């Protein structure tokens, strides 16, 4: 069983006025097979946590530790973190003109595994995953995210997750901009990966609607860069009914 441990994590971003603290001491432990929902209002630090774990240079770790089975994640480069098993599904995936989805996926798989997948088996795996996500086969020859709809971008992120088989998947507002059908299909993809029991999931969201399809084991409420409350699925239900007002009032 793999374990991702975040201890007293402080993160700042550079602004015109100087460094601005965003995360103010986050503690979180995620183990294989667990799904943790990270919820909270806008500006609470949810996405900052995601991009800090992935190694985005915009976010400066000022103190704290992140370890994966005892290995110092913060000492690793972005590509080393991916090879170690960290996967980030971005809220706003970038376009990569001139690089086809099929080439992108096989190159990523080769980089993570250290060797190219056997072609026949790989093609079958890609087709199966695309079929499950209701993706047209022609999608594989399009340039990565270029001209994709919001739903297509999110399906492509989950396609990567299914094929790359990370140890820990960080899903940053995967439900953003999805209609009901796309939300269900994307959620089914996440659940297929979870059924293997080997992946730990950090599911970042504002809303509870995706949690009707992807059941979390733990819910953490972020307010002002800290975990303000933790609980089980019942906490998400309470947030659905009450919103974040009580946390924001206490923070003020």
């Amino acid at each position: 069983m793999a374990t991702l441990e975040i201890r007293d994590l402080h993160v700042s971003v550079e602004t015109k006025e100087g460094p601005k603290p965003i995360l103010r001491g986050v503690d979180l432990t995620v183990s294989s097979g667990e799904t943790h929902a990270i919820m909270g209002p806008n500006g609470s630090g949810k996405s900052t946590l995601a991009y800090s774990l992935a190694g985005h240079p915009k976010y400066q770790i000022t103190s704290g530790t992140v370890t994966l089975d005892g290995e110092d994640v913060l000492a690793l480069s972005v590509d080393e973190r991916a090879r170690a098993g960290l996967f980030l599904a971005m809220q706003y995936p970038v376009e990569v003109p001139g690089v086809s989805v099929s080439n992108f996926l096989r190159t990523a798989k080769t980089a993570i595994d250290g060797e190219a997948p056997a072609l026949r088996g790989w093609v079958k795996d890609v087709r199966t995953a695309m079929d499950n996500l209701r993706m047209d086969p022609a999608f594989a020859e399009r340039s990565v995210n270029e001209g994709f709809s919001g739903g297509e971008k999110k399906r492509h992120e989950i396609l990567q997750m299914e094929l790359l088989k990370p140890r820990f998947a960080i899903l940053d507002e995967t439900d953003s901009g999805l209609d009901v059908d796309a939300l269900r299909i994307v959620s089914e993809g996440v659940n297929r990966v979870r059924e293997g029991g080997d992946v730990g999931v950090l599911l970042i969201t504002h809303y509870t609607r995706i949690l009707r399809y992807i059941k979390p084991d733990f819910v953490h409420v972020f307010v002002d860069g800290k975990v303000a409350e933790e609980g089980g699925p019942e906490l998400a239900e309470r947030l659905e009914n009450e919103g974040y007002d009580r946390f924001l009032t206490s923070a003020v």
Side-chain angles (χ1 to χ4, degrees):
M1 178 179 287
T3 302
L4 180 67
E5 287 192 88
I6 303 165
R7 290 288 172 265
D8 196 27
L9 188 66
H10 290 70
V11 179
S12 294
V13 295
E14 194 64 37
T15 68
K16 293 179 181 179
E17 293 75 30
K20 177 183 178 181
I22 303 296
L23 298 186
R24 306 168 186 270
V26 172
D27 292 296
L28 196 62
T29 300
V30 184
S31 297
S32 300
E34 295 178 350
T35 297
H36 293 246
I38 309 295
M39 305 186 70
N42 280 326
S44 59
K46 304 185 302 300
S47 291
T48 295
L49 175 65
Y51 287 96
S52 299
L53 293 177
H56 195 298
K58 173 183 176 182
Y59 301 94
Q60 302 300 314
I61 311 296
T62 55
S63 65
T65 61
V66 180
T67 59
L68 202 169
D69 286 347
E71 182 176 16
D72 183 2
V73 170
L74 302 181
L76 303 177
S77 63
V78 173
D79 58 307
E80 288 172 336
R81 297 183 195 197
R83 285 196 292 269
L86 289 183
F87 173 84
L88 172 64
M90 294 181 285
Q91 183 179 359
Y92 303 109
V94 297
E95 296 183 1
V96 188
V99 178
S100 70
V101 168
S102 59
N103 285 340
F104 172 80
L105 291 171
R106 194 160 192 261
T107 299
K109 184 67 171 175
T110 300
I112 287 175
D113 291 353
E115 60 180 4
L119 192 56
R120 181 175 296 180
W122 174 249
V123 169
K124 181 181 178 181
D125 289 345
V126 172
R127 286 177 177 170
T128 299
M130 290 181 67
D131 286 345
N132 288 336
L133 288 164
R134 318 291 198 275
M135 298 170 74
D136 190 307
F139 187 93
E141 301 313 314
R142 296 171 62 184
S143 291
V144 173
N145 292 323
E146 190 173 33
F148 287 15
S149 68
E152 287 174 332
K153 288 180 179 179
K154 297 305 174 69
R155 293 188 203 201
H156 181 220
E157 296 284 286
I158 302 307
L159 176 65
Q160 295 172 49
M161 179 181 170
E162 289 204 56
L163 294 170
L164 300 180
K165 296 178 170 46
R167 297 165 75 187
F168 292 94
I170 306 159
L171 309 181
D172 186 22
E173 299 198 31
T174 295
D175 51 342
S176 176
L178 296 182
D179 61 29
V180 173
D181 290 333
L183 177 63
R184 177 178 51 80
I185 292 168
V186 163
S187 298
E188 288 172 354
V190 175
N191 287 330
R192 278 192 298 275
V193 176
R194 292 201 312 161
E195 285 168 4
D198 296 327
V199 64
V201 176
L202 272 174
L203 179 61
I204 296 170
T205 183
H206 285 293
Y207 310 108
T208 58
R209 64 174 192 155
I210 194 171
L211 303 184
R212 298 168 191 159
Y213 300 94
I214 302 172
K215 300 299 183 183
D217 300 296
F218 306 95
V219 175
H220 312 269
V221 182
F222 271 42
V223 177
D224 195 29
K226 297 180 180 179
V227 178
E229 187 169 340
E230 299 175 301
E234 71 284 348
L235 178 54
E237 295 175 7
R238 184 178 179 186
L239 293 173
E240 174 75 8
N241 295 324
E242 300 178 3
Y244 298 110
D245 282 352
R246 64 191 175 92
F247 297 105
L248 298 175
T249 300
S250 61
V252 172

